[in-house]
């Protein structure tokens, strides 16, 4: 059993390295291609010039998110991760995360719906960490989308908690894997057809962050297709 487990972990690590390499290579290639086009002057108008710059900015932000995920995951795994907790406005955290994805959502033709309840309580959190958790869910919703490109973001309260929901119309998660999907290196079986890639640590990292905040990470199928990921945070001091 120990030998089988070690072989399984070795395979997962190998897949992780391969996935990370692919995830890093894609934005790096795009940045290089766009930069070379600008340097050589192979663009036809000022509008094209600006578009190439925007592509570089967008891919740089994507690269930063991947690196931040890996570094934070490494810190958590080694027990070196610390959190600076302060009362924060959950709506401000979500808006900031969404802002970084706006160009990508627009480019890929997503319909975005945002609903934020009035008078939300604050949450006692590490703002950067919760921002990473929210960004991971938004990134996955985009990455595993289908032709029905809808994204609904809701922030509300329930009892003594604040709920942040990210609902998509993507490929969904098989019912037998809805708990395992939060394990490190695990990717859903229906995401292994090559249509989307990932490092395999995003959801594991999101759950670790939520656990550290005394919160919960929930997943349920969305009526009509897709998934609803929910971050449940205790209310902080107002």
């Amino acid at each position: 059993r120990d030998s089988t487990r070690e072989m399984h972990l070795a395979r997962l690590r190998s897949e992780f390295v391969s996935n990370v390499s692919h995830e890093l290579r894609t934005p790096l290639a795009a940045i290089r291609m766009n930069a070379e086009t600008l340097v050589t002057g192979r663009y036809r108008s000022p509008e094209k010039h600006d578009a190439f710059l925007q592509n570089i900015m967008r891919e740089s932000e994507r690269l930063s998110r991947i690196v931040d995920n890996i570094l934070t995951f490494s810190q958590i795994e080694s027990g070196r991760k610390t959190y600076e907790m302060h009362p924060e406005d959950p709506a401000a955290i979500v808006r900031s995360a969404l802002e970084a994805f706006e160009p990508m959502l627009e480019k890929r033709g997503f319909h975005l719906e945002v609903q934020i309840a009035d008078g939300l309580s604050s949450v006692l959190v590490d703002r950067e960490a919760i921002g990473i958790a929210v960004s991971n869910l938004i990134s996955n919703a985009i990455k595993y989308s289908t032709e029905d490109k809808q994204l609904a973001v809701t922030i509300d309260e329930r009892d003594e908690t604040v709920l942040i929901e990210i609902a998509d119309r993507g490929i969904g998660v098989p019912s037998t894997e809805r708990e395992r999907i939060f394990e490190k290196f695990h990717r859903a079986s229906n995401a292994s057809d090559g249509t989307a890639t990932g490092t395999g640590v995003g959801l594991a990292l999101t759950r670790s962050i939520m656990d550290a905040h005394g919160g919960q990470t929930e997943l349920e199928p969305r009526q009509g297709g897709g998934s609803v990921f929910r971050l449940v945070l205790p209310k902080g001091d107002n």
Side-chain angles (χ1 to χ4, degrees):
R1 286 197 299 268
D2 290 344
S3 176
T4 300
R5 181 175 180 274
E6 287 301 318
M7 290 176 63
H8 178 65
L9 288 175
R11 180 179 61 80
L12 289 178
R13 291 190 188 102
S14 177
E15 291 177 357
F16 170 69
V17 171
S18 176
N19 289 337
V20 168
S21 298
H22 180 79
E23 286 287 286
L24 293 175
R25 188 181 297 115
T26 302
L28 284 172
I31 291 169
R32 179 175 180 176
M33 180 187 69
N34 283 279
E36 285 180 350
T37 301
L38 292 174
V39 170
T40 57
R42 297 198 303 268
Y43 53 89
R44 300 178 181 178
S45 66
E47 289 77 15
K48 285 291 185 181
H49 176 274
D50 292 345
F52 285 123
L53 285 177
Q54 289 171 4
N55 285 339
I56 290 174
M57 178 69 74
R58 182 167 57 249
E59 293 300 329
S60 297
E61 291 173 347
R62 177 181 172 187
L63 188 60
S64 293
R65 285 195 297 272
I66 295 170
V67 173
D68 286 345
N69 261 3
I70 295 170
L71 290 177
T72 304
F73 179 74
S74 175
Q75 290 174 338
I76 290 173
E77 286 289 284
S78 63
R80 294 182 290 108
K81 177 62 180 174
T82 58
Y83 296 92
E84 296 184 9
M85 304 291 204
H86 301 284
E88 300 283 357
D89 176 9
I93 296 175
V94 173
R95 286 193 187 101
S96 179
L98 280 171
E99 186 177 346
F101 286 96
E102 280 179 1
M104 186 183 299
L105 290 168
E106 182 177 350
K107 181 180 179 180
R108 299 195 182 185
F110 272 83
H111 172 71
L112 174 64
E113 181 182 349
V114 180
Q115 294 184 349
I116 301 175
D118 294 330
L120 283 172
S121 300
S122 64
V123 285
L124 188 63
V125 298
D126 182 304
R127 184 187 181 97
E128 180 180 357
I130 297 301
I132 288 174
V134 173
S135 294
N136 281 338
L137 298 186
I138 297 172
S139 177
N140 277 1
I142 296 172
K143 188 181 301 180
Y144 297 107
S145 65
T146 60
E147 293 302 315
D148 190 359
K149 299 186 183 299
Q150 296 186 45
L151 182 63
V153 180
T154 305
I155 315 175
D156 206 346
E157 294 188 4
R158 181 178 65 195
D159 300 327
E160 295 303 312
T161 61
V162 173
L163 313 178
I164 300 172
E165 288 189 355
I166 311 293
D168 61 53
R169 291 295 184 193
I171 62 175
V173 179
S175 58
T176 57
E177 299 181 57
R178 286 177 194 150
E179 187 60 31
R180 289 199 64 205
I181 199 70
F182 294 101
E183 296 177 6
K184 60 185 177 183
F185 309 138
H186 183 80
R187 299 180 68 230
S189 57
N190 61 336
S192 61
D193 58 0
T195 57
T197 61
T199 60
V201 301
L203 290 179
L205 174 58
T206 296
R207 171 159 284 185
S208 292
I209 289 172
M210 293 301 294
D211 288 346
H213 285 76
Q216 294 176 304
T217 313
E218 301 175 352
L219 164 62
E220 60 186 44
R222 186 180 186 187
Q223 187 174 5
S227 301
V228 179
F229 283 87
R230 183 180 301 109
L231 304 180
V232 184
L233 285 163
K235 293 180 182 178
D237 297 326
N238 289 302

